[in-house]
């Protein structure tokens, strides 16, 4: 089968690799023929040459990436299944468990997949995976009704946070990004767009305007966590959703202590459930599906697709690969 493999920083090559066999599936696994894949911010450091810091085994963290890596947001057709919820011919969305979704076929965990409204093109349906992650994270925040919220980062994930928090009753949503996202503000429920660095926003906030909830939706560096600590109101909460590239982050404990803050982070659990929730949410808010995916590339243009994703621009939101 075909797959695309990182041959070095900023470069993929198409390769032929052994086709996974249905008879080799373990209990709970599913074999998918991929139809679409979404590029996530967590994929981009590897495209730029970073080692796989999150590998469970430290010995694997500098290993040559496997064919198909790095992509985990997938839509596909079930070819074979050893999971009771999935049968051959089903169209599903979810996670490529090994982050190897830039390939003709992938083996993945059936618990990370769910069916979706097949009236959606696969290149649109792929947005249900990041939406599921956001819905699960917002659940962990509890009741946000009447609260002022700041979302640092208004890329594909941050915009979904803005929308979901507004729909959950947030009184005022401020979206902060270096890229001008004002054109999307109305669609995604952003009351105030700040086109500036998080550091500048946090440093210039009047005390009365400090949000009680701040979501960090950038990741990949340590500075924005401090910006969130600076920006949030006393007694507030920070949700650190961005993926860390560094294993240890400095924390301004004096500010954290004196403001009586809560810091929350975590990964998405109950994946099949929240994927179904995402499908219902998108059905309730169909305007999102017309805006969220802004760029679709054929899979053989994968290098160009990743290059676009690492250089965000006004009007660019989710970048997707058509793998059908």
């Amino acid at each position: 089968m075909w797959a695309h493999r990182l041959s070095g920083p900023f470069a993929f090559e198409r390769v032929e690799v052994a086709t996974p066999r249905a008879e080799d599936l373990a209990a709970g696994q599913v074999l998918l023929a991929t139809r679409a894949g979404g590029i996530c911010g967590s994929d981009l450091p590897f495209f730029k040459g970073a080692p796989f810091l999150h590998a469970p085994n430290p010995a694997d963290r500098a290993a040559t990436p496997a064919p198909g890596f790095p992509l985990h947001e997938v839509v596909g057709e079930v070819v074979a299944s050893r999971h009771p919820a999935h049968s051959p011919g089903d169209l599903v969305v979810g996670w490529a468990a090994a982050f190897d979704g830039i390939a003709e076929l992938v083996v993945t965990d059936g618990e990370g997949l769910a069916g979706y409204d097949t009236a959606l093109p696969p290149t649109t349906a792929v947005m249900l995976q990041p939406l599921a992650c956001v819905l699960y994270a917002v659940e962990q925040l509890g009741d946000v009704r009447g609260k002022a919220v700041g979302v640092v980062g208004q890329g594909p994930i941050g915009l979904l946070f803005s929308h979901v928090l507004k729909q959950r009753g947030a009184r005022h949503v401020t979206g902060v990004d270096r890229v001008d996202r004002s054109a999307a503000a109305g669609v995604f429920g952003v009351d105030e767009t700040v086109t500036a660095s998080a550091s500048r926003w946090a440093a210039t906030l009047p005390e009365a305007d400090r949000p009680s909830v701040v979501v960090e939706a950038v990741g990949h560096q340590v500075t924005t966590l401090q910006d969130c600590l600076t920006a949030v109101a006393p007694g507030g909460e920070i949700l650190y959703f961005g993926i860390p590239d560094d294993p240890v982050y400095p924390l301004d404990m004096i500010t954290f202590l004196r403001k009586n803050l809560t810091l929350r982070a975590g990964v998405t659990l109950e994946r099949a459930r929240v994927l179904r929730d995402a499908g219902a949410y998108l059905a309730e808010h169909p305007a999102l599906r017309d805006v969220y995916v802004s760029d679709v590339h054929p899979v053989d243009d994968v290098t160009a697709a990743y290059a676009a994703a690492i250089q965000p621009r006004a009007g660019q939101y989710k970048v997707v690969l058509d793998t059908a």
Side-chain angles (χ1 to χ4, degrees):
M1 70 173 189
W2 63 260
H4 286 266
R5 179 175 61 196
L6 276 172
S7 56
F10 307 102
F12 286 93
E13 62 177 353
R14 184 174 172 125
V15 294
E16 294 294 317
V17 296
T19 302
R21 303 187 307 169
E23 54 266 34
D24 293 334
L25 293 176
Q29 287 186 326
V30 172
L31 179 62
L32 290 183
T34 61
R35 295 290 178 262
I39 299 175
C40 176
S42 64
D43 301 326
L44 298 179
F46 309 117
F47 177 64
K48 294 187 284 187
F52 188 25
L53 291 175
H54 304 289
N57 180 358
D60 295 335
R61 293 179 182 176
T64 300
F69 182 87
L71 186 138
H72 63 280
E73 301 175 3
V74 292
V75 170
E77 180 179 346
V78 176
V79 174
S81 175
R82 292 196 62 196
H83 189 282
H86 308 296
S87 301
D90 290 350
L91 295 176
V92 294
V93 60
W95 278 258
F99 282 59
D100 57 351
I102 318 172
E104 186 174 358
L105 297 165
V106 297
V107 175
T108 191
D109 180 359
E111 287 299 308
L113 302 170
Y116 65 92
D117 178 1
T118 55
L120 294 173
T123 52
T124 302
V126 75
M127 72 177 288
L128 296 172
Q129 193 276 351
L131 179 55
C133 295
V134 169
L135 289 171
Y136 184 83
V138 172
E139 284 181 6
Q140 312 316 303
L141 287 171
D143 190 357
V144 297
R145 287 176 296 180
K147 295 183 178 181
V149 174
V151 182
V152 176
Q154 291 287 279
I157 283 289
L159 287 170
L160 290 179
F161 267 109
S162 296
H163 193 276
V164 172
L165 288 163
K166 190 65 176 181
Q167 291 299 316
R168 295 293 190 261
R171 172 177 55 81
H172 186 88
V173 176
T174 301
V176 183
D177 202 295
R178 294 174 182 269
V179 177
D180 183 358
R181 301 298 190 185
S182 57
V187 175
F188 289 97
V190 180
D191 298 296
E192 179 184 358
T193 299
V194 176
T195 304
S197 68
S199 298
R200 183 174 178 80
W201 169 67
T204 56
L205 265 176
E207 286 297 324
D209 293 342
R210 297 192 183 282
S212 56
V213 176
V214 177
V215 177
E216 201 283 5
V218 180
H220 307 297
Q221 38 69 50
V222 301
T223 58
T224 46
L225 177 57
Q226 179 60 45
D227 298 332
C228 293
L229 285 167
T230 301
V232 70
E237 183 168 2
I238 297 166
L239 170 62
Y240 191 91
F241 187 87
I243 298 298
D245 287 351
D246 300 278
V248 178
Y249 270 43
L251 181 66
D252 177 358
M253 282 302 299
I254 297 297
T255 299
F256 190 73
L257 176 75
R258 295 196 177 280
K259 282 192 171 184
N260 287 79
L261 300 178
T262 299
L263 175 63
R264 184 183 299 277
V267 298
T268 304
L269 306 176
E270 302 178 56
R271 291 178 171 182
R273 180 201 39 104
V274 291
L275 285 165
R276 293 191 294 269
D277 291 348
Y281 189 93
L282 189 59
E284 292 173 8
H285 305 285
L288 296 180
R289 65 191 181 203
D290 299 325
V291 177
Y292 187 69
V293 176
S294 61
D295 296 62
V296 177
H297 292 254
V299 70
D300 284 341
D301 284 343
V302 60
T303 299
Y306 275 72
I310 63 172
Q311 299 180 67
R313 66 183 194 279
Q316 176 183 296
Y317 309 116
K318 191 68 170 180
V319 180
V320 168
L321 293 173
D322 185 344
T323 60

